Amino acid sequence: MKREYYILPMTALLFLFIFSGTAKAQDAEERATKIILQKDSLFWLGYNKCDTSNYNQFFTEDVEFYHDKGGTTIGVKNMALTLQKNLCSNSDFRIRREEVKGTRKIYMLHDSNVIYGAILSGEHNFYVWEKGKTERLDGLASYTHLWLLKEGVWKMARILSYDHGPASYLNKRKEMKISENLLSQFVGEYKGTQTAKLIIQKENNSLTFSDNNKKSILYPEDQNHFFMKERDITFEFMKNGKNKVEKLIVREKGEIVEELTLQK
């Protein structure tokens, strides 16, 4: 009985020690993750604002940047110069980066149970703004960043930017409800310089259009503007002084691509 009396407390202490060690490791990873993600957020905030004045603080002296389209950049000084040249050399042109939600992941790197680094990866979209034009979605890419803990400070040491390509359209417009009577005024056959015939119809309380025997739904954004959900294309119905529809302006990525006149 005495042996069992001493064994039980020792077993409990052993489990307590293991649990305590696991909890401390989890706390350390949570703290590291929070710091890295905060720094990552600040880095991209500066990127989007074209503020490269404090960029050096995010990189190690021997940082290496590998880009599948733009080659390599080695060293913190060259990194800052490259970013300045690509981001801010033309005031009429800007690039904005946006994280693809749900793709960001972080993995801790350990040496003898001590965290020394982390790998941050994910996908992001890039938008292009040009003076006088509406911002447009330009492309999608993947990234992998190696963060290292140097003298108590987290910095990026290796950067991989790859798999650049076209981005899938992400519709951010909101559909509103309009009456069937209002929808009916847009129905008709339209003709443009590039489009011989575009037929707008009303089906199941929605507008549809047929082009090259393909039917698509138009969703109302307001009483005169409609949009497609699968592509960045909008339709604006223009009225005359008698409040009758006479023209249709089609825009893709904010740019006018066709002007059509109502035929009948």
Side-chain angles (χ1 to χ4, degrees):
M1 293 296 293
K2 289 184 178 181
R3 176 175 293 180
E4 292 179 359
Y5 177 81
Y6 286 107
I7 288 176
L8 289 175
M10 288 298 294
T11 303
L13 286 173
L14 179 60
F15 278 111
L16 180 62
F17 176 79
I18 294 173
F19 175 78
S20 176
T22 302
K24 287 181 179 180
Q26 290 177 343
D27 288 343
E29 290 196 0
E30 289 178 1
R31 286 194 300 270
T33 297
K34 184 178 180 179
I35 293 172
I36 292 169
L37 294 183
Q38 182 182 37
K39 284 180 171 285
D40 177 74
S41 177
L42 291 173
F43 169 76
W44 289 114
L45 181 63
Y47 181 98
N48 287 339
K49 289 185 175 181
C50 195
D51 179 10
T52 61
S53 59
N54 296 314
Y55 255 26
N56 288 4
Q57 67 173 307
F58 296 105
F59 308 118
T60 61
E61 289 293 326
D62 62 346
V63 62
E64 296 180 8
F65 176 39
Y66 299 91
H67 194 288
D68 64 350
K69 304 294 184 182
T72 61
T73 303
I74 308 298
V76 65
K77 291 183 179 180
N78 290 329
M79 191 71 176
L81 290 174
T82 298
L83 290 169
Q84 178 69 28
K85 179 181 177 181
N86 293 339
L87 292 179
C88 309
S89 59
N90 185 352
S91 60
D92 295 335
F93 178 87
R94 288 289 183 269
I95 296 177
R96 182 176 67 85
R97 177 262 192 186
E98 187 176 279
E99 182 81 23
V100 177
K101 293 182 179 180
T103 64
R104 186 171 63 179
K105 296 180 180 180
I106 189 166
Y107 307 89
M108 290 296 144
L109 303 177
H110 301 81
D111 184 2
S112 300
N113 295 322
V114 176
I115 297 174
Y116 73 89
I119 295 173
L120 180 64
S121 65
E123 296 179 354
H124 41 203
N125 286 317
F126 289 92
Y127 294 80
V128 168
W129 172 86
E130 296 179 82
K131 187 175 181 180
K133 296 183 180 181
T134 303
E135 183 185 68
R136 68 179 189 275
L137 179 61
D138 185 63
L140 170 71
S142 298
Y143 67 91
T144 300
H145 296 173
L146 171 63
W147 287 78
L148 295 179
L149 186 59
K150 297 286 189 179
E151 298 179 353
V153 180
W154 284 99
K155 292 188 176 185
M156 280 184 277
R158 302 293 181 268
I159 302 170
L160 306 178
S161 184
Y162 53 95
D163 197 24
H164 286 80
S168 299
Y169 174 62
L170 177 62
N171 175 58
K172 294 184 178 181
R173 293 184 173 88
K174 293 183 179 180
E175 178 186 0
M176 69 169 291
K177 297 293 183 181
I178 62 176
S179 68
E180 286 193 55
N181 289 335
L182 190 57
L183 287 176
S184 297
Q185 67 180 309
F186 305 121
V187 172
E189 181 181 311
Y190 296 77
K191 181 179 180 180
T193 56
Q194 304 176 65
T195 308
K197 182 189 294 185
L198 188 147
I199 300 174
I200 301 291
Q201 296 178 313
K202 182 168 69 70
E203 297 182 12
N204 300 322
N205 299 328
S206 298
L207 282 188
T208 66
F209 78 93
S210 298
D211 185 19
N212 295 325
N213 298 319
K214 181 180 179 181
K215 186 173 291 186
S216 301
I217 297 176
L218 297 182
Y219 300 89
E221 190 169 17
D222 60 36
Q223 293 188 351
N224 295 314
H225 294 81
F226 290 72
F227 63 93
M228 297 177 64
K229 289 185 176 181
E230 62 271 22
R231 293 177 61 187
D232 189 6
I233 297 180
T234 61
F235 296 74
E236 180 183 6
F237 293 92
M238 309 293 293
K239 298 179 179 180
N240 57 25
K242 297 181 180 180
N243 201 34
K244 298 293 184 180
V245 175
E246 62 178 10
K247 288 186 177 181
L248 173 60
I249 297 178
V250 182
R251 295 180 175 87
E252 185 167 10
K253 298 180 179 179
E255 301 294 324
I256 296 177
V257 294
E258 180 69 297
E259 294 189 26
L260 305 102
T261 302
L262 179 61
Q263 302 298 298
K264 57 181 180 179

